Every structure is written in C-alpha cells, then in structure tokens.
Amino acid sequence: MPERRTVALVTLGCARNEVDSEELAGRLAADGWELVEEAADADVAVVNTCGFVEAAKKDSVDALLEANDLKDHGRTQAVVAVGCMAERYGKELAEALPEADGVLGFDDYADISTRLQTILSGGSVEAHAPRDRRKLLPLSPVQRQEAAAAVALPGHSQEPAPAPADLPEGIAPASGPRAPLRRRLDTSPVASVKLASGCDRRCSFCAIPSFRGSFVSRRPSDVLGETRWLAEQGVKEIMLVSENNTSYGKDLGDIRLLETLLPELAAVDGIERVRVSYLQPAEMRPGLIDVLTSTEKVAPYFDLSFQHSAPEVLRSMRRFGDTDRFLELLDTIRGKAPQAGVRSNFIVGFPGESEEDFAELERFITHARLDAIGVFGYSDEDGTEAATYENKLDQDVVDERLAHLSRLAEELTAQRAEERLGETLEVLVESVDGTPDGDGAVGRAAHQAPETDGQVVFTTTEGLVPGRMVTAKAVGTEGVDLVAECLEEAAR
C-alpha cells in the first residue's frame, strides 16, 4: 500500500490565486496526495502567496511563518511557498525566509507532486530564479497562442489532461482535453474561472506584468468546458477573472470575443449567473456594455479599474481618462441597466498628486454612486516606473488622504445601499445557519461580487438552501449590506 501523503493549500490574495490553488490541488490529488483543509493536519503546507502590494506580501510572510510553527507541535513536516510572491522574489525570498522549505515558481506547477515529494523526503529543491515573464512570449499578441504552449501559465492548459476514466472521483480535466487538472477546495455555489493570464498594460505603479507575463487568452472551448464541469459540481455562479478581461480575445484575433462567449456561458445547464470582473475603463466598448446589461443570467456588474480621476495623475500612472469621461461611462451603463452594480479601486497619494488632484478624485467618487470602493495609499513597488519618480508625497500626507477618502467611501457606499431600498433582487443564497446564535441566511445580488462587495442578509431562513437563486426585496441596510425578504411566490 502506498504511503499516505497529505497536503493542505493555504490561499492568499485574489480570485486568480484561488483558481491556481485548485489547479495545484487537482494535480496533487491525481498523483495520490490526500488533500486536507487544515495545515496542521498536513504533511506539507503549501502557501499560495500574494505579491501585489506591501500589505499582501506581509500577510504572505505571516502565513508562511504561522505554518512553520506547526512543525514544532503538529503533523506538518514541510512548508512550501508558491504563488505570486514566490514567483516574483524566488531565491531572494528563500534567503530571507529560511523557514520555508521550498520556494517554487510557476514553472514548477506541472511537476508540483515531484517537488513536494522531494522536499517531504528531506531533499532540497532549488529556489525559483525570477525572470521578467513579459519576455517569454512574442510582443505581438496574435503570435502568442502557439508560443504559449511552452510557457507555464497557471490555469491554462500545458499538455493533454488524463482521460476522465483515469482520474479519481471528484477530479476532472476542468476545461476539456487541453486543460490542467482542477479540484474544488470548497463547496461554495460560486467559483472563479480564469479567462486569461497576464497583462499588456504598463501602469507605472504595477509590477504584476513582470511576474504574471504578457496577456494570453484561454480558448473559448476551454472556458466553456470548465464551466460545464463546475456546473456538474453544483456551482451556480461563475466569475470570470484575469488581469484584464476587456482585452480577452485580442490574441485570438477577435477583441469582441467576450461578447460572443458570455451568452454561451450563460446557457450552460445549471449555471444561474455569470459575472465578469476586472474591466478597464479605457477599453470598454458599446457592444460589451450591451451584452453585460441585456443578457439573461449575465450580471449587469462592472468592476471598473479607475484608480484615479485627475487627468495629470492618470497620465503619470500611464492610464487614460478623467472625471467627466468616467461619469459619462457610468451614465451610459445605468442608462441601459439602472440597477447595474459598479465597484472600483483608487490609489491616493500617488507621486505628484496635488491638493487639486485629490479634490478632483473626491469629486468623482462623490458623483459616481459606486456600490463598493477600495482605497489604497500609494507605496513604492520594486521594479515599477513610479518607484523612480522624485516628487513623492510625505507619508503623513498619504496617510491623511487615505483616511479621509476611506471615510468618504464608507459613507457614500452606505448611501448607495440605501438607494436600493425597495429594489427587487435576484439573490444567490450562499450560506444558511438556522441556529439562534447563527448568522441566518446570506447571499449576494447581481451587484455584489464575492469577497470584495457587500452581501444580502435575509430576514428568514425558511425555504432557503445554499445554491438557490431567489427573488427578494430590499427592505433595510446595514452599511453596504442589504437586508431583504423573500417574495412570497419565490419562498413557496
């Protein structure tokens, strides 16, 4: 009988990392590893790190140290770092954090089982050597698809997957014969599907393209195949994720491919809602807005990466637009779907941001009627253009502006929730706790994405089960959250 090997995956960061963790889980399970939920119960704890901003990197280091502590009084024998921080820093991270028994990059994912077995057996695996992944593929998008077969792209196919008959129960070639293995790590009725990887934009504050690489779309057949498999696993809502969904299809010869794909995904048997995240305002086009606002089962939801609205700051960020153009875009969206949800993130204290620039950003946020707002204070990121700028603001100024805009954002999003009182909502029930001390039943409406936005709290749990889509009416608010009651016909 083969030796029992257990592994736990600890995922930090964004939904893209969650997809990558499920790919790793599928590969490991297919090679005989037993997946466990808690790191303390695992022989090997694999921490899928985030390397986006300083706070996220600190969280990743803390998670690695916490997992390492388990080696003193638990089953855990090894702790391994994977993900964006491991890819971005590699050997540097390994030297700074000797508590990690391995630091593996994206190139190691295809052989993850062998790498972990070597480490578990007391051997060593050379720490990943970082490189600029933008240089691994042709500059021209239309030349990338063929070349991408030789480049590690987490969440994309690299080689034909085993036939379903050869796989353990619960594991599937998630996107058909070209896809990596995927195994779900939870039972949520919501799952993310990777639409593409990488980014061709050159925002001066962002390091993501250097370690995620150039933009590469997944083929529509792969995305459809994975969605069908997820539906068979009980998933009711899929969220399409990538660094920039508005660019989908440009390397496949059709920049409007997303407009064609969305209705096909919505038609998959068992899927109740399709949500698109990570949209670039400068790349929004009328046809995409039409599909997002008028297609049955496609959420009229716009996760728009504004980042700022003062023209001079946006130019320094290597981005485009201004307050009035952004407000016109929102007017266009709401003219087609008045109940559409909109969220965005903003950076305050960017080098050179004047008081007038900050006031302009405040003007935009005040008039934009956003459902969810994320606000971040600027900090230098290794290898970015903005880190070389000379006109940096004092940290106390950054902190003051961050606190001010965060308070304003909290007030405005609460007001936006109040505007939704009386609205009829289609709510996907996500959890139900019928105990007196429990949280009751909660779910999300079309304008609320998982993790990042608010939620709907039901007034009763009667007739509600996770995964059910119900019609409800908003009758109250709790900050950005809505309180809703099921309409009588839906409850029956």
Side-chain angles (χ1 to χ4, degrees):
M1 178 179 293
E3 182 182 357
R4 179 172 181 256
R5 302 173 299 174
T6 56
V7 59
L9 285 142
V10 180
T11 307
L12 295 95
C14 65
R16 301 185 294 276
N17 255 16
E18 294 172 5
V19 175
D20 295 349
S21 285
E22 293 197 346
E23 173 193 333
L24 293 174
R27 291 183 181 277
L28 290 167
D31 202 41
W33 290 78
E34 180 181 339
L35 300 168
V36 296
E37 291 186 12
E38 301 296 332
D41 300 327
D43 297 317
V44 183
V46 177
V47 180
N48 192 349
T49 61
C50 178
F52 180 39
V53 293
E54 200 60 39
K57 287 182 279 190
K58 182 181 183 302
D59 289 344
S60 296
V61 170
D62 289 345
L64 287 163
L65 292 174
E66 183 178 341
N68 182 70
D69 289 341
L70 297 173
K71 291 192 288 188
D72 295 331
H73 48 75
R75 178 189 177 100
T76 309
Q77 301 175 51
V79 176
V80 176
V82 298
C84 291
M85 189 176 181
E87 174 65 37
R88 184 176 181 184
Y89 294 104
K91 293 182 178 180
E92 181 182 344
L93 176 62
E95 293 171 0
L97 198 70
E99 292 85 353
D101 299 287
V103 176
L104 307 180
F106 298 152
D107 294 332
D108 294 303
Y109 282 21
D111 296 316
I112 187 68
S113 177
T114 302
R115 302 287 192 272
L116 296 192
Q117 184 59 58
T118 297
I119 293 169
L120 185 60
S121 301
S124 63
V125 175
E126 185 176 358
H128 165 67
R131 51 182 174 168
D132 188 340
R133 299 192 73 86
R134 290 171 295 189
K135 298 179 180 179
L136 301 182
L137 293 170
L139 184 63
S140 172
V142 296
Q143 296 177 347
R144 289 179 192 159
Q145 284 292 321
E146 184 175 350
V151 176
L153 298 171
H156 292 235
S157 64
Q158 300 300 301
E159 57 191 3
D166 298 332
L167 299 175
E169 184 178 356
I171 309 169
S175 308
R178 298 181 64 253
L181 298 173
R182 177 171 181 174
R183 177 161 181 163
R184 299 214 66 205
L185 293 173
D186 60 41
T187 57
S188 169
V190 183
S192 295
V193 175
K194 189 167 284 191
L195 195 62
S197 287
C199 186
D200 288 343
R201 301 184 70 86
R202 294 296 178 261
C203 301
S204 63
F205 56 84
C206 184
I208 289 177
S210 65
F211 57 85
R212 277 290 184 179
S214 299
F215 186 89
V216 180
S217 302
R218 292 180 68 197
R219 295 187 178 277
S221 58
D222 291 351
V223 179
L224 277 164
E226 183 167 341
T227 299
R228 294 188 184 104
W229 178 76
L230 288 168
E232 292 170 358
Q233 305 298 305
V235 169
K236 299 300 180 183
E237 176 181 328
I238 62 164
M239 184 168 74
L240 300 178
V241 298
S242 76
E243 280 73 21
N244 178 10
N245 282 332
T246 32
S247 283
Y248 179 69
K250 70 176 186 178
D251 52 324
L252 295 172
D254 185 359
I255 192 60
R256 295 177 177 81
L257 195 55
L258 184 55
E259 288 94 305
T260 304
L261 179 59
L262 284 172
E264 295 184 62
L265 293 171
V268 170
D269 189 30
I271 295 298
E272 297 291 339
R273 184 154 63 205
V274 178
R275 185 184 304 276
V276 183
S277 62
Y278 306 113
L279 300 169
Q280 288 291 338
E283 297 181 36
M284 290 301 294
R285 47 194 179 270
L288 181 55
I289 295 174
D290 287 343
V291 171
L292 288 170
T293 55
S294 64
T295 307
E296 185 179 1
K297 295 188 177 182
V298 173
Y301 175 80
F302 294 80
D303 176 9
L304 292 164
S305 178
F306 289 119
Q307 301 299 343
H308 212 284
S309 72
E312 291 305 315
V313 175
L314 286 168
R315 302 304 176 269
S316 294
M317 289 180 168
R318 304 298 183 198
R319 297 176 66 84
F320 308 94
D322 56 49
T323 297
D324 292 334
R325 274 190 276 184
F326 289 164
L327 291 175
E328 289 174 5
L329 172 61
L330 296 178
D331 286 343
T332 298
I333 290 169
R334 290 176 175 136
K336 295 177 179 295
Q339 293 185 349
V342 186
R343 80 166 324 275
S344 192
N345 293 326
F346 300 91
I347 297 173
V348 299
F350 193 79
E353 181 190 63
S354 66
E355 292 184 4
E356 292 76 16
D357 294 330
F358 185 68
E360 185 69 1
L361 175 57
E362 188 173 346
R363 179 172 81 89
F364 171 67
I365 290 179
T366 301
H367 290 88
R369 297 170 57 228
L370 303 176
D371 292 280
I373 299 173
V375 184
F376 301 89
Y378 172 80
S379 62
D380 286 339
E381 281 298 314
D382 299 334
T384 62
E385 179 185 352
T388 68
Y389 291 174
E390 296 181 353
N391 49 349
K392 305 283 177 58
L393 275 64
D394 291 340
Q395 190 59 48
D396 59 347
V397 174
V398 177
D399 293 342
E400 180 182 348
R401 292 180 181 180
L402 174 62
H404 175 80
L405 204 68
S406 296
R407 287 193 299 269
L408 178 62
E410 186 175 352
E411 294 172 5
L412 292 171
T413 52
Q415 291 176 17
R416 178 63 182 136
E418 291 176 358
E419 290 179 16
R420 292 190 178 275
L421 289 175
E423 281 189 7
T424 299
L425 311 168
E426 294 299 316
V427 184
L428 178 65
V429 181
E430 292 194 340
S431 65
V432 178
D433 189 336
T435 65
D437 297 327
D439 296 328
V442 296
R444 288 178 303 97
H447 70 280
Q448 298 166 320
E451 306 296 336
T452 57
D453 305 339
Q455 61 185 9
V456 172
V457 180
F458 289 97
T459 57
T460 179
T461 61
E462 184 179 357
L464 300 179
V465 294
R468 182 182 178 191
M469 188 75 76
V470 300
T471 304
K473 181 179 180 180
V475 296
T477 65
E478 297 176 356
V480 297
D481 296 338
L482 296 179
V483 178
E485 59 183 21
C486 286
L487 298 183
E488 185 177 354
E489 58 270 27
R492 283 203 300 268

